[in-house]
Amino acid sequence: MLVMQLLRGAVKHAGSSPQFSVERLNSAVRGISSSSQHLSDFGETLPPSCTDTESPKILITGGLGQLGVGLAKLLRRRFGKNNVILSDIRKPPNHVYHNGPFIFSDILDYKNLREIVVNNNISWLIHYSAVLSAVGENNVALAKEVNITGLHNILDIATEHGLRVFVPSTIGAFGPSSPRDPTPELCVQRPRTIYGVSKVHAELMGEYYHHRYGLDFRCLRYPGIISANSNPGGGTTDYAVQIFHAAVKTGCFECNLRSDTLLPMMYIDDCLRATLEFMEAPADTLLSRTYNISAMSFTPHDLVQEMQKVLPGLKVTYNVDPARQAIADSWPMVLEDSAARRDWGWKQDCDLSALVQNMLTHITTCNQRAQAN
């Protein structure tokens, strides 16, 4: 009787998931008699997640983007070098390749992704693969494929194998009808970019899988992230990274947003630490599955003034990109993040002054090393 119920559940699931295949159905049927871990697709008991007393085995998708390399470094210090696998579809720089395990992983290739999870005994999955806001508006088809179809693969595999899965969201998940100053955690979300739409979809799908299947889904709405270690990836807040490189290299910068555009921002060290702390938080302390996190909000004018305290000769002009400005004008000016501070103790370390000092010091030092070599 149980076998027939499971088979009916498998057929029902196959009809509702575009990624379900005959191979997956056969695999599920073969596992009925041998392992309860194959029952997750049918709404039964999930495999146990990694406990707090053992080191997780972690896979990071989209690992060569702005955040993946830095997070891998932090996680390897915490859990051991070989317990964190960085992955992407691009060839990594030599220093990334030699700093720890790296593998090719295409999130649109369900079978390959599933094999990686099984063969490496993955227990945490950090899903950074995404097409960002400005790039997504220029290639909607690609953004839909990567941000939505790829997400579905991640959620299905994470559910099947009982993973703890992290999917970042963004201030772009809000829209012009959302309150902007401050933007609360729960409010109207009607974004006007495919990036924002895909992130609202990710939030809702992840929370659905949590309530329907018990998936340990976790999501943080990141503000604009500022890092000196990687190139901007096509986001609307990229000006706040580009300006530092231009300031050190030429002393001049042309900003594509208005000088009074107020947006939430965060230094990368705070972002990575927040992600680790959130992933380590006991599940029973989390009253939500999606949280706002914030550190500071500033305008281009605010940033320039702070930078000119260190580089008084810095010259900045404004040539507003209407498309990016429209995106920025639909986003929060200030994120309200009291729930994260209450539930799992979030607190930022870096303010605007420290951000400027850190960025300028890091970029200047890297440039001097490059010139010396």
Side-chain angles (χ1 to χ4, degrees), residues 111 115 167 253:
K111 183 175 183 293
E115 287 175 348
V167 178
F253 180 68

Side-chain angles (χ1 to χ4, degrees), residues 95-277:
H95 74 277
V96 173
Y97 184 79
H98 293 295
N99 280 345
F102 182 92
I103 58 176
F104 173 88
S105 176
D106 181 355
I107 62 166
L108 298 177
D109 185 339
Y110 186 96
K111 183 175 183 293
N112 171 251
L113 188 60
R114 193 169 183 238
E115 287 175 348
I116 291 170
V117 166
V118 172
N119 291 343
N120 293 282
N121 195 30
I122 298 300
S123 51
W124 287 11
L125 203 163
I126 312 290
H127 179 51
Y128 275 149
S129 297
V131 175
L132 301 183
S133 56
V135 171
E137 291 308 287
N138 291 324
N139 195 337
V140 173
L142 177 64
K144 287 194 299 182
E145 189 173 29
V146 173
N147 296 3
I148 296 178
T149 303
L151 169 80
H152 292 177
N153 289 343
I154 292 294
L155 293 179
D156 283 348
I157 290 169
T159 301
E160 180 181 1
H161 296 286
L163 311 186
R164 179 173 297 182
V165 61
F166 175 80
V167 178
S169 189
T170 166
I171 53 175
F174 299 101
S177 56
S178 305
R180 298 188 65 212
D181 187 12
T183 301
E185 204 159 86
L186 295 176
C187 64
V188 172
Q189 291 178 256
R190 291 294 184 271
R192 291 185 177 175
T193 65
I194 186 60
Y195 176 58
V197 169
S198 69
K199 287 302 184 180
V200 174
H201 177 80
E203 293 177 13
L204 295 176
M205 286 295 291
E207 291 181 9
Y208 172 77
Y209 271 60
H210 171 69
H211 292 294
R212 177 66 175 83
Y213 301 114
L215 175 66
D216 191 353
F217 169 82
R218 304 183 183 208
C219 178
L220 295 177
R221 294 191 186 112
Y222 286 157
I225 305 302
I226 302 175
S227 166
N229 290 317
S230 58
N231 294 322
T236 301
T237 58
D238 282 353
Y239 87 87
V241 177
Q242 295 164 338
I243 189 173
F244 287 101
H245 292 278
V248 171
K249 186 175 181 180
T250 67
C252 301
F253 180 68
E254 183 178 87
C255 183
N256 54 27
L257 296 180
R258 287 194 321 268
S259 64
D260 63 347
T261 305
L262 183 67
L263 290 169
M265 301 285 187
M266 180 179 287
Y267 186 53
I268 189 168
D269 286 3
D270 275 344
C271 175
L272 300 180
R273 179 174 56 82
T275 304
L276 172 57
E277 290 175 359

